[in-house]
Amino acid sequence: MAERTQQPPSKRLCCRHAHNGAFRGAQRIDGSSQGEPRTKSPETLLDIAARRVAEKWPFQRVEERFERIPEPVQRRIVYWSFPRSEREICMYSSFNGCGDDVGSSGENDDETRLPFRRGIALLESGCVDNALQVGFHLSGTVKEPATSSEPEMVCSVSISFDRCKITAVTCSCGNKDIFYCAHVVALSLYRVRKPEQVKLRLPISETLFQMNRDQLQKFVQYLITVHHTEVLPTAQKLADEILSQNSEINQVHGAPDPTAGASIDDENCWHLDEEQVQEQVKLFLSQGGYHGSGKQLNLLFSKVREMLKMRDSNGARMLTLITEQFMGDPRLALWRQQGTTMTDKYRQLWDELGALWMCVVLNPHCKPEQKAFWLRQLQRWNSIDVCPLEDGNHGSDLTNLTNSLPQGPAGNPDSHSKPHRTVFTRAIEACDLHWQDSHLQHIITEDHYTNYCHQDQHHNSLFDNRGWPLWHEHVPTACARVDALRSHGYPREALRLAIAVVNTLRRQQCKQLEFFRSHKKELLHKGVTSVTNLEGWVGHPLDPIGTLFSTLLEVGQGKEEAAALSIFLEEGETFVSLAVETALIGLGQQRVMPDGLYAQEKVCRNEEQLLAKLQEVDLDETLVKVFRKQATILLEAGPYSGLGELLYRESVPMHTFAKYLFTSLLPHNVELAYKIALRAMRLPVLESTVPSSDLSRPQQIMSVVSNRYPRWFTLSHIESQQCELASTMLTAAKGDARKLETVLESIQKNIHSSSHIFKLAQDAFKIATLMDSLPDLTLLKVSLELGLQVMRMTLSTLNWRRREMVRWLVTCATEVGVFALDSIMQNWFTLFTPIEATSVVASTVMSNSTIVRLHLDCHQQENLSNSARTLALQCAMKDPQNCALSALTLCEKDHIAFETAYQIVLDAATTGMNYTQLFTIARYMEHRGYPMRAYKLATLALSHLNLSYNQDTHPAINDVLWACALSHSLGKNELAAVIPLVVKSVKCATVLSDILRRCTLTTPGIVLHSRRNSGKIMSLDKAPLRQLLDATIGAYINTTHSRLTHISPRHYSEFIEFLSKARETFLMAHDGHIQFTQFIDNLKQIYKGKKKLMMLVRERFG
């Protein structure tokens, strides 16, 4: 707490005649009062009366009420006015909630740093000294022991108090914080624990009244002498004003006394440093969620709840200060301007802020003027344009559903016209609620409020057929009342109302079940899929189910005493089972998925939080009965249940809830567990068609929820939960063929994501092939079937995991057996692309590792290989460009199949294959020892090729050189046949000259093993090389003219080198020298304008 450096001004003026006896000397407080009693003697009437007066009456009223107050009475009132409980002191000096063990100091390191724990440590180590109580003011010194970094420090502490509340504190330590410092705590606890060791005097004004003039003058002069440097200027100023007849100080009767207690008009509340609260909240907000600021703000919210529970008026006051800082956060305007959303953690803080205001305004003992003040305040915040909306950045068109109970004013007129609901809207609406309903008052105030003669015949009956009270109100609003009662320190009243609300929910569930059973045929025939709850209970801003669950569970686990209320429990039922049943009812409610990203995320998060709390409860026989009962009802409740037969297309899925039910019920009722899980697998929002019966929804729902394709921002998470549910069922069904088949059908019908089905297939495979047991063949087949479905789903769509999926499927089929591999190869065209079938499937099947893994004999190996070769040939027929080479490779060991594959290549060569593919296959043929086939394929490839004059770095050049070398090696005839193709396809002079030079180095056919040649090098003057030479010279001439068209000076030297290479080719001809000379002369004439270039030509070539 930020302690002030100066003593606060007195709250009231004191002026009375001195009528009491002298109160002299340093008298100590009677030890028989506040501490541990020394004797067993009963408390005196004086102490009893003084204690009550000290709690309720300001001391000024006591003085005005009685003309003369005996000194012993004054002393006891002053004594009892100091706080008697450490609980509030703890609350104002630590973030942690304080229980009955506030006095213990054996805590962890984090807690020992809290002011309260440090204060206890200082107290117990004897650091408190000079404790003095003067009237309603306590002072003392607290010694702060020296540390390695700080010297010993003595702090002067002053505390003002009134009616058992600390109203002001100061400490010389200068520490600034929301909470009281450790020194204030130490002195306060010293007064609480050791009151007999505190010197007590009456208020200083009483002492002064007892002095005569000489004593007063001596008193003042001594006071000035001791503190002359601090008080002398002030003393002189006061003396001047008193001596002046017309001064303001002489116009006032009496004089202030800081020790005289509170005046009648003073508000009686604990000291709270508002400035520090505002500064701390502002600091936390500016940190934007870093450095644990979000945690600190949540701790502040918890502190507000703690204050409300203690019925401390500072709870609402502190919440107001926090809200003002939240509303002033500059990020709100920035986010609104940029159109961006606030962070999720920050959004949750706003939710808690709205929920806290709901609790504040629903205080059952709130005064009307206080509620009116809060309403004005909330409306002011609500009207600010940056005020966050209830469902994030997405507006809701829901009408005011909170004030469904007809009471008080008709409701807020603006709530119907304003489409967007802010975080304060519900609190504003709650200001119209009251607690004066007689039935409600009976429920919350009486333990045995029943009516056993009541007939439960009407929908809104006040009692059920057992005579137990019901409370018909909009469920979130009724639960908000429960939360408000708990928050304001009325746990017993909250429990009574919670039981009535839960009984109402159970009665409503039974009525809905009866209605559906009586109209089942009619409803199923019509296919009506309407949702009766537009505002779901799970994920609701007020968290109604969570409130009921916590209220009942606290009682069931012994945190609250409520034995008298056990009459409202059925035989064998407990408060824990009632809490669990309430949670199951809420989680199983069929409810529409809200609009907007944040609202949808909140539904998922709230459901997971509630399930986490349920999982902490140990299941016993009673709870198992509850699970069975609710599971059965949820399955049979039709459109009222998310697990019923009729499901609205945009209902919140039940996957996560059903997984919890499944695992809980499985050890006790297998069939029921599977019924629940299989029913919950549905996800109709992903179905391609919408049932026409959806159009027959009630008009009210039609007007609120538009008939549109929904935007489910959490769909990926929902599908993951659906996948988790399916995986859980697969794991549990291991070894049960019938169950596995049922689960498989459900997966194939309801899961629409290939990646999730693939994950399930992998999960099933892992479970089926655990190392510590034999493979489960049935589960393996399920895994394979799921893998086949994935293959079919992703065959015609892009999926970056497709190759992994294909490889995994082959592995799975291998694990299943030969028949599975043969089956996928027989039906490959529905599962794989041709290239996948050949490069992955057939190749893996024919690998040695697969043969060894399957333990196949020779006959089985041959059959499997034949299937793979057949697959390869079929793929080659369908996609020769990509599969022909693989088919040839796979068919190498089977002559007929190999010939078939080769013929497929030849047939496709003229139309469907490009030169790159043909060259690749041709090289493969040469490598396998088929040069003539390679030659034929090379000629076909050349016929597809077109190499222009400037493509001297084309990737096909090596293939062209290889083809010419192959033809040259085969003989003159083959070379003569290929040269016209080369001349036709290749226009690049450098490539042609390279081919020409290679052909003149060796004799054609000399490299063949089985042929003998004449040993003569082919003549350039005869065919076929003459044709190649002429084409090469012609290419050089054409290329030269082309390059000279757009040549720049920086390319002149490169051009001269090019002409040098051309000359070498020209000189290979019989009359080449003459041709080249004529060529150069022609260039000089045509391009004589390029003087510098022609000069270089003349220098090199004459």
Side-chain angles (χ1 to χ4, degrees):
M1 180 68 67
E3 286 80 26
R4 302 184 182 92
T5 57
Q6 295 183 355
Q7 182 72 24
S10 173
K11 294 182 180 179
R12 68 185 182 92
L13 302 177
C14 298
C15 180
R16 295 193 298 112
H17 296 291
H19 48 257
N20 295 317
F23 183 75
R24 309 185 187 278
Q27 299 183 29
R28 297 186 179 273
I29 298 176
D30 186 2
S32 64
S33 54
Q34 201 162 327
E36 188 71 25
R38 292 181 180 178
T39 65
K40 299 291 183 178
S41 59
E43 196 171 15
T44 66
L45 289 175
L46 172 60
D47 271 325
I48 295 173
R51 185 169 65 244
R52 297 296 294 173
V53 169
E55 288 177 1
K56 304 296 183 182
W57 284 28
F59 196 64
Q60 182 182 6
R61 177 172 292 178
V62 178
E63 292 176 324
E64 294 176 354
R65 174 69 176 81
F66 303 99
E67 180 178 351
R68 183 179 182 277
I69 306 173
E71 181 181 311
V73 175
Q74 289 190 60
R75 289 171 53 193
R76 299 317 292 166
I77 293 175
V78 168
Y79 169 76
W80 285 112
S81 291
F82 195 84
R84 305 159 202 165
S85 168
E86 298 181 11
R87 191 179 183 88
E88 287 84 359
I89 298 171
C90 175
M91 182 171 69
Y92 279 93
S93 57
S94 63
F95 269 126
N96 293 7
C98 302
D100 296 332
D101 58 341
V102 291
S104 62
S105 59
E107 302 292 336
N108 58 36
D109 291 340
D110 290 335
E111 289 194 341
T112 56
R113 290 195 292 268
L114 293 172
F116 184 74
R117 297 297 172 190
R118 286 180 53 232
I120 290 179
L122 290 172
L123 172 65
E124 292 177 347
S125 57
C127 295
V128 180
D129 198 8
N130 302 321
L132 171 66
Q133 180 180 340
V134 180
F136 296 87
H137 183 272
L138 178 69
S139 62
T141 58
V142 180
K143 181 174 65 176
E144 184 77 57
T147 63
S148 58
S149 58
E150 297 289 338
E152 181 180 283
M153 179 175 64
V154 177
C155 299
S156 298
V157 181
S158 296
I159 300 173
S160 298
F161 53 90
D162 172 52
R163 283 169 278 177
C164 300
K165 294 177 182 177
I166 293 175
T167 56
V169 298
T170 63
C171 180
S172 62
C173 71
N175 180 48
K176 292 189 175 183
D177 197 358
I178 294 176
F179 302 120
Y180 301 165
C181 68
H183 314 110
V184 171
V185 172
L187 181 60
S188 301
L189 296 184
Y190 185 88
R191 171 63 176 79
V192 172
R193 297 186 182 185
K194 303 176 181 180
E196 72 281 356
Q197 297 184 22
V198 178
K199 298 175 184 179
L200 174 65
R201 292 178 183 268
L202 292 179
I204 193 66
S205 56
E206 290 288 336
T207 304
L208 295 176
F209 288 149
Q210 298 172 22
M211 297 182 183
N212 59 34
R213 185 188 179 285
D214 292 339
Q215 290 173 322
L216 284 173
Q217 184 170 358
K218 183 179 290 189
F219 171 78
V220 173
Q221 287 182 223
Y222 268 100
L223 179 65
I224 294 173
T225 301
V226 174
H227 300 286
H228 67 277
T229 57
E230 292 90 358
V231 305
L232 185 57
T234 305
Q236 186 60 56
K237 179 184 176 183
L238 290 173
D240 292 341
E241 290 186 5
I242 290 173
L243 292 174
S244 173
Q245 294 295 329
N246 298 323
S247 64
E248 183 179 352
I249 198 171
N250 285 321
Q251 306 303 316
V252 179
H253 185 62
D257 180 2
T259 67
S263 65
I264 295 175
D265 299 329
D266 286 342
E267 183 181 359
N268 181 227
C269 61
W270 284 78
H271 172 67
L272 178 69
D273 194 325
E274 297 186 2
E275 182 181 349
Q276 277 303 306
V277 172
Q278 292 172 320
E279 287 298 321
Q280 290 289 330
V281 175
K282 188 175 182 179
L283 175 64
F284 294 149
L285 289 174
S286 67
Q287 292 172 349
Y290 300 102
H291 313 295
S293 59
K295 180 181 178 182
Q296 295 297 320
L297 288 168
N298 276 315
L299 288 173
L300 279 180
F301 288 146
S302 298
K303 183 58 63 181
V304 171
R305 285 194 177 274
E306 186 181 354
M307 290 177 175
L308 294 178
K309 193 169 186 177
M310 298 286 286
R311 303 175 196 173
D312 188 334
S313 61
N314 278 339
R317 184 171 156 212
M318 187 171 179
L319 184 60
T320 300
L321 298 172
I322 295 172
T323 308
E324 290 287 3
Q325 293 304 311
F326 266 74
M327 291 301 299
D329 190 344
R331 291 178 296 173
L332 292 176
L334 182 64
W335 285 329
R336 183 180 180 86
Q337 182 181 1
Q338 295 177 343
T340 55
T341 58
M342 63 179 68
T343 61
D344 193 52
K345 288 185 178 179
Y346 188 56
R347 177 68 244 190
Q348 291 178 42
L349 292 174
W350 276 101
D351 282 352
E352 179 65 10
L353 201 63
L356 280 171
W357 275 115
M358 188 82 174
C359 286
V360 169
V361 301
L362 278 177
N363 183 351
H365 298 292
C366 173
K367 296 178 180 178
E369 56 271 19
Q370 183 67 67
K371 183 179 286 190
F373 171 75
W374 288 332
L375 177 60
R376 290 191 300 272
Q377 195 168 247
L378 289 166
Q379 288 173 333
R380 177 171 60 83
W381 292 327
N382 190 69
S383 63
I384 300 175
D385 57 355
V386 295
C387 184
L389 302 180
E390 184 178 69
D391 54 355
N393 281 8
H394 195 287
S396 172
D397 293 334
L398 291 175
T399 56
N400 182 349
L401 298 179
T402 304
N403 298 323
S404 56
L405 182 69
Q407 54 178 338
N412 245 339
D414 294 338
S415 60
H416 294 277
S417 58
K418 188 173 182 179
H420 298 311
R421 299 170 62 84
T422 72
V423 291
F424 301 118
T425 301
R426 292 184 183 274
I428 292 172
E429 294 170 353
C431 289
D432 293 329
L433 299 175
H434 62 71
W435 296 83
Q436 277 69 51
D437 184 274
S438 60
H439 182 59
L440 176 61
Q441 284 296 314
H442 283 302
I443 290 175
I444 64 177
T445 58
E446 299 180 22
D447 283 338
H448 303 279
Y449 179 48
T450 56
N451 186 347
Y452 296 113
C453 301
H454 182 79
Q455 296 296 321
D456 182 16
Q457 296 177 347
H458 304 289
H459 176 70
N460 291 325
S461 296
L462 298 181
F463 300 88
D464 61 14
N465 52 15
R466 299 167 296 187
W468 296 354
L470 304 174
W471 180 241
H472 297 281
E473 188 175 23
H474 177 238
V475 173
T477 306
C479 296
R481 290 182 185 272
V482 175
D483 190 32
L485 288 168
R486 290 177 69 213
S487 299
H488 288 282
Y490 302 99
R492 195 175 187 84
E493 289 81 353
L495 178 62
R496 294 182 185 121
L497 182 57
I499 293 173
V501 173
V502 171
N503 284 331
T504 308
L505 291 180
R506 294 200 292 188
R507 175 180 177 274
Q508 177 186 347
Q509 189 183 46
C510 293
K511 294 288 184 183
Q512 290 172 344
L513 180 61
E514 292 172 6
F515 176 81
F516 178 67
R517 283 174 175 171
S518 61
H519 298 81
K520 185 173 182 178
K521 291 183 179 180
E522 177 186 350
L523 292 174
L524 290 177
H525 178 71
K526 290 181 178 180
V528 174
T529 53
S530 61
V531 179
T532 54
N533 291 286
L534 299 175
E535 209 176 23
W537 299 331
V538 175
H540 192 280
L542 301 178
D543 190 21
I545 298 300
T547 298
L548 293 175
F549 180 79
S550 300
T551 304
L552 295 168
L553 194 65
E554 284 179 3
V555 178
Q557 293 178 342
K559 296 180 182 178
E560 298 287 350
E561 293 294 333
L565 292 175
S566 58
I567 64 164
F568 293 118
L569 297 176
E570 295 180 351
E571 185 178 354
E573 193 174 50
T574 65
F575 284 111
V576 173
S577 67
L578 193 60
V580 170
E581 185 170 10
T582 304
L584 298 182
I585 292 173
L587 289 165
Q589 175 206 31
Q590 182 167 179
R591 54 199 182 272
V592 72
M593 177 67 80
D595 295 335
L597 170 61
Y598 179 73
Q600 292 176 11
E601 287 180 340
K602 190 171 183 179
V603 168
C604 299
R605 183 170 56 249
N606 196 198
E607 180 182 41
E608 290 166 0
Q609 290 170 347
L610 192 52
L611 288 173
K613 292 178 183 177
L614 279 171
Q615 287 170 344
E616 295 174 359
V617 180
D618 296 329
L619 289 185
D620 53 21
E621 291 185 8
T622 303
L623 291 182
V624 171
K625 291 179 181 178
V626 171
F627 271 80
R628 284 175 173 162
K629 168 189 169 185
Q630 280 301 318
T632 304
I633 292 175
L634 291 173
L635 285 172
E636 298 177 1
Y640 304 103
S641 162
L643 295 168
E645 293 179 70
L646 297 174
L647 192 65
Y648 175 60
R649 185 165 178 259
E650 295 178 33
S651 285
V652 174
M654 297 282 116
H655 307 131
T656 311
F657 175 45
K659 178 185 172 185
Y660 169 71
L661 283 179
F662 178 80
T663 53
S664 301
L665 283 169
L666 193 63
H668 310 284
N669 193 326
V670 176
E671 293 301 321
L672 185 58
Y674 275 97
K675 281 183 181 179
I676 286 285
L678 291 170
R679 180 71 64 79
M681 280 292 290
R682 300 171 296 181
L683 191 55
V685 75
L686 290 183
E687 300 295 339
S688 56
T689 58
V690 185
S692 59
S693 56
D694 270 9
L695 301 177
S696 62
R697 292 177 293 168
Q699 186 62 34
Q700 180 190 4
I701 297 173
M702 282 286 288
S703 64
V704 179
V705 182
S706 57
N707 189 13
R708 50 145 176 83
Y709 187 79
R711 286 190 68 192
W712 281 27
F713 299 96
T714 56
L715 189 57
S716 60
H717 173 76
I718 289 169
E719 288 187 286
S720 298
Q721 295 301 311
Q722 184 188 37
C723 180
E724 287 294 322
L725 174 60
S727 180
T728 304
M729 284 195 288
L730 284 174
T731 305
K734 181 179 179 181
D736 190 328
R738 185 178 64 84
K739 291 280 192 308
L740 284 173
E741 183 180 355
T742 306
V743 175
L744 174 62
E745 291 176 0
S746 179
I747 293 171
Q748 292 174 326
K749 176 183 178 183
N750 295 299
I751 297 185
H752 303 275
S753 167
S754 58
S755 59
H756 287 123
I757 296 178
F758 182 50
K759 180 184 182 300
L760 287 171
Q762 290 177 307
D763 291 347
F765 183 79
K766 290 175 185 176
I767 298 166
T769 56
L770 292 174
M771 296 297 292
D772 57 350
S773 60
L774 293 173
D776 187 317
L777 189 58
T778 307
L779 192 53
L780 272 176
K781 289 179 179 178
V782 169
S783 176
L784 177 63
E785 195 61 42
L786 292 173
L788 295 175
Q789 184 176 351
V790 172
M791 290 297 101
R792 287 189 286 267
M793 292 174 71
T794 59
L795 179 59
S796 57
T797 59
L798 294 176
N799 192 304
W800 64 276
R801 299 183 66 189
R802 172 73 185 180
R803 192 166 184 82
E804 175 195 355
M805 293 171 174
V806 173
R807 290 186 181 279
W808 178 87
L809 182 71
V810 177
T811 302
C812 182
T814 304
E815 199 69 33
V816 173
V818 180
F819 70 92
L821 286 173
D822 191 60
S823 175
I824 65 173
M825 288 191 291
Q826 294 289 337
N827 301 287
W828 70 269
F829 49 89
T830 64
L831 306 171
F832 313 106
T833 62
I835 191 170
E836 290 171 345
T838 53
S839 64
V840 180
V841 181
S843 299
T844 306
V845 167
M846 295 187 70
S847 65
N848 289 330
S849 60
T850 302
I851 294 170
V852 172
R853 181 74 182 86
L854 293 172
H855 308 292
L856 302 179
D857 55 30
C858 294
H859 179 68
Q860 290 174 321
Q861 288 182 33
E862 187 59 29
N863 288 339
L864 197 61
S865 298
N866 286 336
S867 296
R869 284 190 283 267
T870 302
L871 165 68
L873 293 175
Q874 291 173 348
C875 292
M877 288 281 289
K878 189 170 184 179
D879 186 8
Q881 297 92 334
N882 297 311
C883 301
L885 182 59
S886 297
L888 287 166
T889 305
L890 292 167
C891 295
E892 287 175 357
K893 296 182 180 180
D894 189 304
H895 177 71
I896 298 175
F898 187 82
E899 291 298 321
T900 305
Y902 176 63
Q903 190 58 48
I904 291 171
V905 174
L906 292 179
D907 293 341
T910 56
T911 56
M913 301 183 75
N914 58 40
Y915 60 84
T916 304
Q917 294 161 341
L918 289 171
F919 275 131
T920 303
I921 297 173
R923 285 177 180 264
Y924 164 79
M925 283 295 183
E926 183 196 30
H927 178 71
R928 301 305 302 173
Y930 299 105
M932 290 307 297
R933 293 184 176 184
Y935 166 75
K936 184 173 180 60
L937 291 171
T939 58
L940 291 170
L942 285 170
S943 65
H944 289 75
L945 181 64
N946 183 19
L947 214 61
S948 64
Y949 76 92
N950 58 351
Q951 293 182 294
D952 51 359
T953 58
H954 195 282
I957 291 175
N958 286 331
D959 290 323
V960 173
L961 295 176
W962 169 82
C964 293
L966 176 64
S967 304
H968 188 269
S969 69
L970 290 175
K972 181 178 179 181
N973 294 335
E974 286 78 3
L975 183 61
V978 87
I979 283 177
L981 295 173
V982 172
V983 169
K984 181 180 179 182
S985 302
V986 180
K987 308 300 180 187
C988 184
T990 55
V991 177
L992 289 172
S993 64
D994 196 4
I995 295 171
L996 180 63
R997 200 168 286 107
R998 292 180 186 221
C999 289
T1000 58
L1001 293 177
T1002 57
T1003 305
I1006 198 168
V1007 297
L1008 287 178
H1009 304 293
S1010 59
R1011 295 179 60 175
R1012 296 190 61 79
N1013 299 282
S1014 61
K1016 295 181 181 180
I1017 295 177
M1018 296 178 67
S1019 173
L1020 290 170
D1021 295 331
K1022 297 179 181 179
L1025 293 189
R1026 180 64 191 183
Q1027 181 183 1
L1028 181 59
L1029 177 59
D1030 292 343
T1032 306
I1033 292 172
Y1036 269 114
I1037 293 172
N1038 292 333
T1039 304
T1040 299
H1041 287 293
S1042 297
R1043 296 183 69 168
L1044 283 171
T1045 304
H1046 302 290
I1047 196 168
S1048 63
R1050 70 175 183 272
H1051 294 135
Y1052 283 175
S1053 59
E1054 182 184 338
F1055 178 72
I1056 297 301
E1057 294 301 322
F1058 175 76
L1059 287 181
S1060 298
K1061 291 181 180 180
R1063 181 172 61 179
E1064 293 174 5
T1065 302
F1066 272 84
L1067 293 179
M1068 294 176 75
H1070 180 67
D1071 55 348
H1073 180 73
I1074 300 172
Q1075 289 187 50
F1076 186 72
T1077 302
Q1078 291 175 349
F1079 173 54
I1080 294 298
D1081 291 341
N1082 192 25
L1083 289 179
K1084 293 176 185 177
Q1085 184 65 31
I1086 296 173
Y1087 301 101
K1088 59 185 177 182
K1090 298 181 184 293
K1091 295 179 181 180
K1092 184 177 180 180
L1093 178 59
M1094 291 303 110
M1095 182 183 70
L1096 294 173
V1097 170
R1098 278 193 295 272
E1099 286 177 358
R1100 177 69 70 91
F1101 305 109

